[in-house]
Amino acid sequence: MMARSKDRPWLMRTYAGHSTAEASNELYRRNLAKGQTGLSVAFDLPTQTGYDPDHVLARGEVGRVGVPVSHLGDMRRLFQDIPLDRMNTSMTINATAMWLLALYQVVAEEQGADLGKLSGTTQNDIIKEYLSRGTYVFPPGPSLRLTTDTIAYTVASVPKWNPINICSYHLQEAGATPVQEIAYAMSTAIAVLDAVRDSGQVPAGKMGDVVARISFFVNAGVRFVEEMCKMRAFTRIWDQVTRERYGITDARQRRFRYGVQVNSLGLTEAQPENNVQRIVLEMLAVTLSKDARARAVQLPAWNEALGLPRPWDQQWSLRIQQVLAHESDLLEYEDIFAGSTVIEAKVAGLVDEVLAEMDHIEELGGAVAAVESGYLKAQLVASHAERRARIESGEEKIVGVNSYTETEPSPLTADLDTAIMTVDPATEHRVVSALHDWRLQRDEERAQRALSALKSAAAGTANLMEPTLECARAGVTTGEWSWALRDVFGEFRAPTGVSSAPVSTGGEEGSSLASVRAKVSRTAEDLGAGRLRLLVGKPGLDGHSNGAEQIAVRARDAGFEVVYQGIRLTPEQIVSAAVAEDVHCVGLSILSGSHAELVPDVLARLRRAGVDDIPVVVGGIIPSADAKVLVEAGVAAVFTPKDFGITEIIGRIVDEIRQANKLDPLEVSA
């Protein structure tokens, strides 16, 4: 019997980068040697938000969640001995995407690469940054211009590059339903394509080339049948939009091309070994269906809810992909769901709901207007609140968290301090020192000329890619490039969505929320305050605000007056707000790993301000050893992902307020 021919596997990646360009380069070469077929670069938060590592907001963030790239020298070291014309590189970068692509192109030129052979992706989807990850810098209008200029440049000069990866991944992390995930991503794509078309930079006959270079980056949750149907609906709607709205007649240009990172939101700190089977199910959602199969897949590691995965953990996730692709028979068949009435009905239902929501966004003025009005953010905060309420009530079961919690000791986490990788705190000092050396050694006159030319171009209508490339060649730094554009475009603070989010948890008599509400009211009365006031602060550059928003919404519903100013605050700003608002508790949310630097700074500033009697609580991805250190430093309580009961957390915050004010404990259960 003749053997079946197999389809080519998808690109296999791991999302990686940490500490320094040199350390990340070593990790990349090691992963490629293990059979990884593409690179996915994680940049640290200063790089993503346009700050150099010596900026005050970069403190504690350098090299934490990715690699710091401050200038051309860093990019050279990042890809040393990796031939870029033979590599497919995905870069998770948005506000500074044009800048990082320019650095990448100049390194490729220095390697002697043909720009026509460069392949890969810059995420470059700024709209979802206002809604979820928070790594925006400029207002939506100028941000869309940067995206448009990048697309127009690459279509003409780097034709195999995907200049934008419309990214619904983080929408799901922020609470989006499948309908919202598709609708908001498609509305973003429409905003981008309309902007490119209307810019006049691309001839009408070339719009098919633009559409052909648009890729998507999606999330795959554990409800893998629904997620697979979501991908089929995505494919169907994209084909319809590109054909009807933009007149693209070539079916190959209309093909829905997407990469995927399976869902990190659903990974648990409790019984983390369960994350392995979650990752496998989520991978199946985007590989089982040939007609809607991902072109690139990257899997998180089993221990991402605990901290930074080690190389061995990343290898495990790569091996999961390799077993499916090379040991199973999946790639030998046509689409195994073709003709299924169940799948077809689910896909058709999703398509109808998505098109209705897209029409509504269009009525609001499109995706950018829906961001600026706060509509999209409020919808996501509400959806996330509803999901959290289902988990807390037990309606939505999370194995090992709110059900089946009995467990044997896990050998994987027997020594928690070695179950994750840590970044040497001295790394930041070395990176900052190297940055200062770079500035001293460059041609300063050329760098300043390049920055002046960039600002002049930004004030006009010229494409910004060429002056950005000159900045890269002249030794300009990431922070300098961004500040030049900030001077012209200004900065932006996105709506938080907290004040307009509806109540998600019933406060009926006898409920947990009613009990906590009674504690809040009684404590305010005991303190002679009209209402208890809680400041929710996000110090540093961590823009993942989902947890902070849910705490803020639930505290509001429990009767607190909540002070929440959004992301990207310095410890000084947080303490100033705490004093000015005369708050009863400060809650800090940090997921980037910078808690060891920033939390003690907040505590010290509160002491200097004479208000060290205000209890400080901290939430985030905080290893147990770090939590112990924070408590010893004066933090009242530390909450991690295992503390899934938000109402219970609010109750404990009230307890800490009572204890700090020497009030007797209340016998009202939370």
Side-chain angles (χ1 to χ4, degrees), residues 39-56:
L39 293 177
S40 182
V41 181
F43 295 99
D44 73 354
L45 288 173
T47 304
Q48 292 186 53
T49 51
Y51 295 102
D52 283 333
D54 58 353
H55 191 276
V56 61

Side-chain angles (χ1 to χ4, degrees), residues 59-75:
R59 183 183 172 201
E61 306 281 16
V62 176
R64 288 280 178 188
V65 300
V67 58
V69 175
S70 304
H71 47 70
L72 183 60
D74 286 340
M75 192 64 96

Side-chain angles (χ1 to χ4, degrees), residues 129 153 188 243 348 506 645:
E129 296 300 318
Y153 173 80
T188 295
R243 186 180 65 252

Side-chain angles (χ1 to χ4, degrees), residues 13-226:
R13 294 174 169 144
T14 51
Y15 181 53
H18 66 85
S19 303
T20 64
E22 293 89 344
S24 298
N25 172 263
E26 181 183 347
L27 176 64
Y28 295 163
R29 288 188 286 112
R30 198 159 63 230
N31 285 347
L32 290 168
K34 292 174 181 175
Q36 189 172 297
T37 52
L39 293 177
S40 182
V41 181
F43 295 99
D44 73 354
L45 288 173
T47 304
Q48 292 186 53
T49 51
Y51 295 102
D52 283 333
D54 58 353
H55 191 276
V56 61
L57 273 170
R59 183 183 172 201
E61 306 281 16
V62 176
R64 288 280 178 188
V65 300
V67 58
V69 175
S70 304
H71 47 70
L72 183 60
D74 286 340
M75 192 64 96
R76 284 180 187 134
R77 288 189 290 274
L78 185 62
F79 291 107
Q80 187 173 335
D81 299 323
I82 298 174
L84 297 186
D85 56 355
R86 288 188 275 141
M87 184 52 53
N88 189 298
T89 305
S90 171
M91 294 193 280
T92 301
I93 198 74
N94 294 281
T96 55
M98 176 183 283
W99 172 244
L100 272 298
L101 178 58
L103 293 175
Y104 187 88
Q105 176 180 320
V106 174
V107 169
E109 290 171 346
E110 291 178 347
Q111 291 184 357
D114 177 355
L115 295 187
K117 293 182 178 178
L118 290 187
S119 65
T121 302
T122 33
Q123 193 167 99
N124 207 11
D125 171 10
I126 199 64
I127 288 179
K128 62 94 176 50
E129 296 300 318
Y130 302 116
L131 304 175
S132 50
R133 285 180 76 244
T135 69
Y136 55 83
V137 176
F138 315 111
S143 294
L144 195 56
R145 175 186 171 186
L146 288 171
T147 299
T148 299
D149 285 359
T150 304
I151 292 171
Y153 173 80
T154 54
V155 166
S157 303
V158 197
K160 289 188 176 181
W161 192 264
N162 297 324
I164 186 170
N165 212 204
I166 306 240
C167 183
S168 70
Y169 175 86
H170 301 93
L171 299 179
Q172 187 180 116
E173 296 251 304
T177 64
V179 168
Q180 290 172 327
E181 188 179 340
I182 303 171
Y184 297 176
M186 284 296 164
S187 295
T188 295
I190 287 171
V192 169
L193 286 172
D194 281 0
V196 172
R197 180 194 61 198
D198 298 344
S199 74
Q201 295 189 68
V202 177
K206 283 280 193 179
M207 278 302 291
D209 293 337
V210 173
V211 168
R213 297 322 312 167
I214 304 289
S215 62
F216 289 77
F217 187 68
V218 306
N219 204 330
V222 76
R223 291 170 56 84
F224 73 100
V225 175
E226 181 175 66

Side-chain angles (χ1 to χ4, degrees), residues 542-611:
D542 167 36
H544 287 86
S545 56
N546 304 333
E549 290 156 2
Q550 295 307 311
I551 291 290
V553 168
R554 192 67 56 84
R556 177 204 68 185
D557 295 347
F560 273 89
E561 179 182 329
V562 177
V563 179
Y564 177 55
Q565 299 171 322
I567 63 172
R568 220 177 296 171
L569 300 172
T570 64
E572 182 180 16
Q573 289 171 321
I574 288 171
V575 171
S576 295
V579 173
E581 299 289 345
D582 192 21
V583 301
H584 297 97
C585 182
V586 172
L588 304 177
S589 171
I590 307 176
L591 283 83
S592 65
S594 59
H595 50 266
E597 289 277 348
L598 300 181
V599 174
D601 192 4
V602 171
L603 293 171
R605 289 176 184 277
L606 286 170
R607 282 195 294 272
R608 289 201 294 272
V611 289

